[in-house]
Amino acid sequence: MLQSLMSDDHPLTLALLFERAATQFPDNELVSRFPDGSIHRYTYADFARRTRKLANALATLGIEPGDRVATLCWNEHRHLELYFAVPLSGAVVHTLNARLHRDELTYIVNDAADSALFVHSSLLDAFEEIRDRVSVEHVIVIPDDGPTPEGYRDYEELIADEPEQFEPPPLDERQASGMCHTSGTTGRPKGVLYSHRSTTLLALMSCMTDTVGMHERDCMLPVVPMYHANAWGFPYAATYAGAKQVFPGRDLSAESLLGLFADEGVTLTGGVPTVFLDVLRALDERPGEWDLSAMRSLVIGGSAAPPSQIAGFDRHGLHVTHAWGMTEMNPLGSIANLKRAHDGLDEADTLEVRARQGHAQPLIEFRHVAEDGVVQPWDGVALGELQVRGPTIARAYYGVDRADDFVGDGWFRTGDIVTIDEHGSILIADRARDVVKSGGEWISSVALENALMAHPGVVEAAVFAAEDERWGERPLAAVVHAPGSSVEAEELREFIAPQFLRWWLPAEFIPVDSVPKTSTGKFDKVALRERYGRRLIEGGE
Ligand code: ADP
């Protein structure tokens, strides 16, 4: 074999992203909102200077390569400093989900054996609750809602006297740069380790026009928390591109977000459907109040963006890009951009394509497999579990023997049940564990939810399985009504009936004040099943 004469061993590490931002885009801005509403601004030059000081401070603390350094923080510029300083020192930045139950938080900190923890002062109460159950050597407070309390080390003091020069140790592109635990809706949370290489590749991918297309003139506001799968890699991609970044802090209300979108000229944002539901409602109620002319795309994912939501934003001239991913994929997997083959489709069919989860990102391969292990055709009909393969996907969980999730030939089983159409676009019918199986046949809860949420009297609808003596399971719908709407079950049934086979229709439509959500903002179907799952057998209240 004739070997190439390329510098193939030059490592793909986060140092490349960091140095590019520092040297090519020193004057571009990073903006954060603090809990009191005030705004902090600085530039990539400031960011780079402080990040190097922080990296030196980590060494002073005795943090060694491979150590886990936890963050319990909102989206904010000092979280970004940690995103880089920790991996540039050779350590691993371990983001903790601020909305997790305290027991899970305890488990996760102990599972990772974090050496240090950086916590926003506004989240200190959460840490205090688990403090006695974890052993973290260093706790450093990042003051966001007031001064650092007595007895704690302060972030600003920690870095104040450190030198501004920092030479990263030699980094291997395959070493871990980040760690994130899945939310653990089934069983214990599982740790996923991201490498420098996969994070760098993801950042590059996100800068491609056919994906998110991050570029220097963008102004990126990640609504998705930086503790959830690296905020979908957006902060890394935006830093690499030199884009302006806006960090919303703790307040993710529609009012706060829309204000920032307008004031800062945000061009690109991303988050789960629930957050954007509130944003859309605010726009509908007060059209024209915010100048969103700079916005080029709202990336919505994490759970299915209902077509009615995509169409709703279209009415305001705002483009939704529907994306799918998983913590285990670092995390972007697919994006529902239109292809050349979709030219000429009418409005309804175009919406149908945009509301799918879309085709594979560069470097990612898809296939779907039936229960008997047979790979299914891309015909838009055959259902199977989606499997994915590529260099940004985890090979195993941290310290857990779950080899069955990772099949031998490099394919990861996502647990998502999908169809794939002839253009390679996936449509998620359900998560395997949320599937409704009635009389042995699958019913797609996502399809039913999307149809229900298209009714103007419905804000949210979650469909889940209830036990049934005759059919095994039947779907039930928990429905949140729009303010002032009193739409009856019968009307909802008739509204969706034309789109589905009769036996797909929910056995009951249960009015609820709100749908329970997981810590990452998805419908919590485990909670719904616990509450209503035996209703058809035992009778409901
Ligand atoms: P968690 O820790 O909440 O499980 P993940 O982000 O890893 O967080 O969850 C990944 C899962 O979320 C996917 O397997 C899929 O079921 C669901 N998901 C993500 N994006 C979408 C989407 N656009 N449409 C439907 N489901 C989605």
Side-chain angles (χ1 to χ4, degrees), residues 297-311:
S297 178
L298 317 172
V299 182
I300 302 188
S303 26
S308 52
Q309 183 171 60
I310 299 174

Side-chain angles (χ1 to χ4, degrees), residues 182-183 228 302-304 322-327 357 416 431 520 522:
T182 63
S183 64
H228 186 203
S303 26
H322 190 199
W324 166 88
M326 296 184 77
T327 303
Q357 280 69 24
D416 284 334
R431 253 182 147 164
T520 51
K522 301 173 207 289

